Amino acid sequence: FAGRYGGQRGDGRAISVGQVNGLEVQLKGAGTTPFSRRFDGRAVLRSSVREFLASEAMHHLGVPTTRALAVVASGDTVQRAWYDSQGRERVGLEPGAVGARVAPSFLRFGQFELFYQRDEPALLRALAVHALGRDFAHLRLQEPEAPLSRLLVLLFREVCERQARLVAEWLRVGYCQGNMNSDNSALCGVTLDYGPFGFLERFDPMHCPWVGGGAEYSFGRQPQAAAINLSILSEAWADLLRAVATEEGLTRAEADEAVQQTREGVSSVFVDAFHATHDEHNRRKLGLVSWDDDAAELWTSLFGLMATRSGPQGIDFTVFFRSLGDLTNDLPDGGDGLAAARAAAIGGAAEWPQEHLEAWREWAARYWGRVGAEARPDGERRREMAAANPKYILRNWMLAEAYEAAERGDSSAVHALHALLRSPYEEQSSADPRYAQPTPDWARGRPGLAFMS
């Protein structure tokens, strides 16, 4: 927890039942498992619908993720704590369900750390060799003569690169995992376990939807949280490498070099891959031709405006970037530099202080000046921005409407959202217009939506 092992966590609801066509299949909520401890191993319809829709939404956004196969109502009730209509956390009975999900692998950082912390090197090695043979078999094909120590180094460095690219994708679409403990970090680099997650609505880089997350797991600090998880995992990996190096007869210097290459997976591979991917995403979100110091300064100053110069209620992250991409070069930003900001202003921009409006006008003049200087065809710029900035994200209030209807026996809202989220970048004229607008007043700040345990 927060970078250090904090004992066995989770409630043991998930269990792998097999592998089909290269995908591991899990059931979640089917009853007690060997890992359930004092828990009942069950799941409720609410959380099962959340994970089903969230994982499918992320897949169609282009973010690496586990996939949902199905949610089946179990017909019984399960006792759980959740928020009542007054926002108070209460224990009550909810409809039960079982979810089925798939991924290339469900191996987590925490499983390796568990054996390391328990001083069980044989199990740590067995799990690493299993991951190498099943989930990273391409490494043996790339270097068929390489010893195990070399392959373990390559595996760890690839894990670092995958994590970097994953977190950069989260930032692109405004996703916050909430709980970034290492038991929620997948070795194969996919988004895993949709618990207290949330998509950014009002832009706040320090927002975390999980009440136990704090600043460490906030939206803007997810890269640092991922790096900490990798750094702690590297301790287990270094211990494993030294044991393997001894078996292979490597010298102390050779073993130290293997450990150093592992640690550089965090300090070099992760950092470089994250910045390269994140910068490219930012270029696409702004529709620029190239990324340089001027573009980076445009991005940094934009985030400052969104966080501190967007009126009393702030600005919607998704709506702003989509609106910016809808504007044309011939009449940029409505002619006054405020069209995109007005469209995304939560509660409207009428109450924005004059200094906020002027700051936005200054930024818009610089932005459109850069766009004009690059002389990129307008249609090309707008198409790239539309492909980087979704029209639709899965807001928690949308989820609540769907799972509350499902609890009443009406699954039509779940199916409608599923259909909507399969084309998140497309204009959908038949969709509920609320889905492409800032979150409605009734849902802002509501426990279970704005934040959750």
Side-chain angles (χ1 to χ4, degrees):
F1 178 75
R4 288 292 171 185
Y5 177 65
Q8 186 176 346
R9 294 180 178 268
D11 54 17
R13 287 182 295 166
I15 187 166
S16 294
V17 295
Q19 193 158 330
V20 180
N21 296 329
L23 292 174
E24 187 176 342
V25 183
Q26 281 195 343
L27 297 180
K28 191 171 184 178
T32 55
T33 73
F35 317 103
S36 296
R37 294 176 289 150
R38 66 185 185 277
F39 301 104
D40 60 14
R42 312 305 292 272
V44 297
L45 188 60
R46 166 180 48 81
S47 63
S48 301
V49 167
R50 277 175 55 82
E51 177 158 348
F52 177 88
L53 288 173
S55 59
E56 291 305 284
M58 291 286 271
H59 171 73
H60 292 289
L61 284 167
V63 181
T65 179
T66 60
R67 296 292 304 275
L69 284 180
V71 172
V72 180
S74 62
D76 57 5
T77 57
V78 178
Q79 184 172 279
R80 288 290 184 270
W82 194 241
Y83 301 95
D84 64 17
S85 60
Q86 304 301 312
R88 297 167 299 193
E89 193 165 7
R90 304 289 193 190
V91 175
L93 294 176
E94 298 187 47
V98 179
R101 61 185 185 179
V102 297
S105 169
F106 285 97
L107 283 179
R108 307 154 184 257
F109 289 11
Q111 289 170 301
F112 294 88
E113 294 167 359
L114 183 68
F115 295 139
Y116 173 62
Q117 293 290 341
R118 289 179 175 175
D119 193 23
E120 296 179 311
L123 289 175
L124 175 60
R125 175 186 174 131
L127 190 61
V129 170
H130 169 68
L132 180 62
R134 186 188 69 168
D135 306 328
F136 295 85
H138 58 280
L139 297 177
R140 285 193 183 276
L141 296 176
Q142 292 169 6
E143 297 194 21
E145 304 300 321
L148 179 60
S149 58
R150 168 65 176 168
L151 295 172
L152 289 174
V153 169
L154 294 175
L155 190 160
F156 187 84
R157 290 169 72 93
E158 183 167 327
V159 168
C160 291
E161 182 175 354
R162 291 188 188 189
Q163 286 293 312
R165 298 187 185 282
L166 175 65
V167 174
E169 288 288 356
W170 288 356
L171 299 188
R172 177 179 67 85
V173 299
Y175 174 82
C176 186
Q177 173 76 349
N179 184 349
M180 282 193 69
N181 293 347
S182 61
D183 65 321
N184 291 327
S185 299
L187 200 72
C188 67
V190 300
T191 314
L192 174 73
D193 279 358
Y194 292 90
F197 75 89
F199 284 87
L200 272 187
E201 296 174 4
R202 173 185 177 274
F203 177 72
D204 176 5
M206 301 306 294
H207 172 69
C208 181
W210 181 37
V211 295
E216 291 85 356
Y217 294 163
S218 63
F219 171 76
R221 292 191 179 175
Q222 290 181 116
Q224 291 89 336
I228 289 172
N229 286 342
L230 287 165
S231 179
I232 300 305
L233 179 62
S234 74
E235 296 177 6
W237 225 256
D239 197 64
L240 171 62
L241 273 171
R242 291 194 186 281
V244 171
T246 299
E247 294 173 6
E248 293 176 352
L250 301 184
T251 66
R252 175 68 178 272
E254 290 171 330
D256 288 346
E257 175 62 22
V259 170
Q260 179 61 25
Q261 289 180 12
T262 296
R263 290 178 174 151
E264 288 175 355
V266 185
S267 62
S268 179
V269 175
F270 175 86
V271 172
D272 292 347
F274 171 75
H275 284 298
T277 307
H278 186 50
D279 288 351
E280 173 61 10
H281 288 339
N282 296 346
R283 182 197 67 76
R284 293 171 57 219
K285 287 181 77 69
L286 291 177
L288 302 179
V289 171
S290 60
W291 192 257
D292 51 26
D293 289 344
D294 176 66
E297 204 286 321
L298 265 177
W299 180 264
T300 300
S301 59
L302 171 61
F303 264 38
L305 290 178
M306 295 176 72
T308 64
R309 294 291 185 272
S310 298
Q313 299 188 61
I315 197 165
D316 189 283
F317 179 85
T318 300
V319 175
F320 172 76
F321 281 105
R322 186 69 181 201
S323 298
L324 188 65
D326 287 339
L327 299 171
T328 59
N329 292 353
D330 57 348
L331 190 60
D333 224 3
D336 70 351
L338 294 174
R342 283 197 180 99
I346 298 173
E351 297 181 6
W352 282 22
Q354 189 61 35
E355 60 266 27
H356 290 193
L357 299 174
E358 287 302 322
W360 274 98
R361 289 190 181 100
E362 291 173 7
W363 182 86
R366 291 168 50 212
Y367 170 72
W368 288 108
R370 169 68 181 249
V371 170
E374 290 182 336
R376 187 181 193 183
D378 188 53
E380 178 183 299
R381 174 186 63 83
R382 295 177 64 194
R383 281 191 297 273
E384 183 172 57
M385 293 179 74
N389 299 307
K391 175 85 171 182
Y392 303 101
I393 56 170
L394 184 60
R395 301 172 187 265
N396 274 322
W397 71 266
M398 297 160 61
L399 265 171
E401 288 191 343
Y403 65 66
E404 287 172 1
E407 289 172 342
R408 297 190 298 268
D410 179 6
S411 62
S412 61
V414 174
H415 292 296
L417 271 187
H418 189 205
L420 174 86
L421 296 167
R422 288 163 74 175
S423 301
Y425 299 98
E426 303 297 324
E427 298 288 340
Q428 300 184 48
S429 59
S430 61
D432 188 328
R434 298 178 303 157
Y435 294 160
Q437 297 171 358
T439 293
D441 291 342
W442 65 266
R444 295 177 202 158
R446 175 178 162 180
L449 301 183
F451 60 88
M452 62 200 75
S453 59

